[in-house]
């Protein structure tokens, strides 16, 4: 089935540093791609999404581009803030279980002042 | 506020006991899901339901059962809990068809500890 692999954390950055979290996928067909964020003690919430090749999803200063040629959907932000400290999950639409998403293992980000 | 409500928020349970985690959504979404989250393993799908009256098995269904009697409710039952079922459980829902892009909406989670 469809799957994603994302870089392992934890990632520690200073405030205003540039962030990249890598995500690559394996899929049949053309799945939708997502980044979710989980703040401490909370459920997951959608950060951004892209539904077709070359689409760029963006939200709250975060961006990710659906690259079919490299099967990637890397998350980037130009200047991180302390409030961005969270766990980030890459996900794609599953092919075998209805409309479920398959998630990566998550990357923990800690931003220090 | 519209969304997904899970209960209980947290529970400690003796091994061998039966436990039902409740999930209710008020968004009239077609599909609902149960995931478990474990450190280092991310989120893994337990069971799903595309519409009321239908259910399917996910990646890790053993030891769990679900039912979908109506659109809003999707309870998850552990018939005889074991320590390996200690986890944080998330219920989610999604719409599909029309303009939907497949986004999942998550509840706040239920933390279950089996001793």
């Amino acid at each position: 089935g469809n799957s994603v692999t994302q870089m392992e954390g934890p990632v520690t950055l200073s405030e205003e540093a540039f962030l990249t979290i890598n995500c690559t996928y394996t899929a049949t067909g053309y799945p939708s791609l997502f980044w979710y964020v989980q703040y401490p003690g909370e459920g997951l919430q959608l950060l951004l999404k892209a539904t077709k090749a070359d689409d760029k999803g963006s939200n709250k200063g975060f961006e990710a581009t659906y690259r079919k040629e490299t099967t990637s959907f890397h998350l980037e932000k130009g200047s991180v803030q302390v409030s961005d400290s969270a766990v980030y999950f890459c996900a794609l639409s599953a092919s075998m279980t209805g409309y479920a998403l398959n998630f990566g293992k998550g990357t923990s980000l800690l931003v220090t002042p | 506020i519209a969304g997904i409500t899970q209960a209980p928020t947290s529970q400690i349970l003796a091994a061998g006991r039966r436990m039902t985690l409740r999930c209710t959504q008020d968004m009239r979404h077609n599909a609902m899901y149960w995931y478990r989250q474990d450190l280092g393993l991310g989120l893994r799908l337990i069971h799903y339901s595309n519409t009321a009256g239908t259910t399917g098995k996910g990646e890790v269904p053993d030891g769990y059962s679900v039912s979908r009697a109506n659109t809003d409710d999707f309870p998850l039952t552990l018939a005889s809990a074991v320590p390996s079922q200690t986890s944080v459980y998330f219920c989610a829902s999604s719409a599909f068809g029309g303009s939907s892009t497949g986004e999942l909406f998550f509840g706040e989670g239920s933390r279950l500890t089996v001793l």
Side-chain angles (χ1 to χ4, degrees), chain B residues 16-32:
Chain B
R17 297 297 295 269
R18 180 183 179 90
M19 178 71 193
T20 295
L21 303 180
R22 301 183 299 279
C23 176
T24 300
Q25 55 110 352
D26 60 4
M27 297 175 283
R28 308 302 293 172
H29 283 168
N30 319 76
M32 297 187 75

Side-chain angles (χ1 to χ4, degrees), chain B residues 55-97:
Chain B
T55 62
K57 294 181 179 180
E59 180 184 355
V60 288
D62 294 343
Y64 306 94
S65 63
V66 291
S67 61
R68 186 90 184 275
N70 57 61
T71 297
D72 299 340
D73 301 300
F74 191 44
L76 176 73
T77 297
L78 290 67
S80 179
V82 295
S84 62
Q85 292 177 311
T86 294
S87 187
V88 181
Y89 292 85
F90 287 98
C91 181
S93 70
S94 69
F96 57 85

Side-chain angles (χ1 to χ4, degrees), chain A residues 7-73:
Chain A
M7 61 185 286
E8 294 189 17
V11 174
T12 302
L13 294 174
S14 298
E15 204 166 23
E16 299 184 3
F18 185 86
L19 169 71
T20 299
I21 300 178
N22 291 336
C23 173
T24 57
Y25 68 88
T26 302
T28 55
Y30 303 97
S32 296
L33 299 173
F34 305 82
W35 277 101
Y36 277 80
V37 59
Q38 184 181 33
Y39 298 103
E42 299 183 8
L44 280 73
Q45 55 187 279
L46 180 69
L47 181 59
L48 53 84
K49 62 180 182 285
T51 58
K52 61 182 186 297
D54 300 325
D55 266 3
K56 177 185 282 189
S58 61
N59 185 28
K60 299 181 181 179
F62 291 89
E63 293 183 339
T65 301
Y66 190 161
R67 302 279 189 204
K68 181 168 172 282
E69 63 276 12
T70 55
T71 62
S72 64
F73 192 56

Side-chain angles (χ1 to χ4, degrees), chain B residues 1-65:
Chain B
I1 298 176
I4 293 184
T5 302
Q6 291 186 233
T9 304
S10 180
Q11 181 76 44
I12 299 173
L13 187 66
R17 297 297 295 269
R18 180 183 179 90
M19 178 71 193
T20 295
L21 303 180
R22 301 183 299 279
C23 176
T24 300
Q25 55 110 352
D26 60 4
M27 297 175 283
R28 308 302 293 172
H29 283 168
N30 319 76
M32 297 187 75
Y33 317 88
W34 277 104
Y35 288 87
R36 60 178 288 175
Q37 183 179 21
D38 302 287
L39 194 63
L41 298 176
L43 275 81
R44 294 179 291 168
L45 182 67
I46 304 171
H47 285 287
Y48 66 96
S49 169
N50 287 338
T51 59
T54 70
T55 62
K57 294 181 179 180
E59 180 184 355
V60 288
D62 294 343
Y64 306 94
S65 63

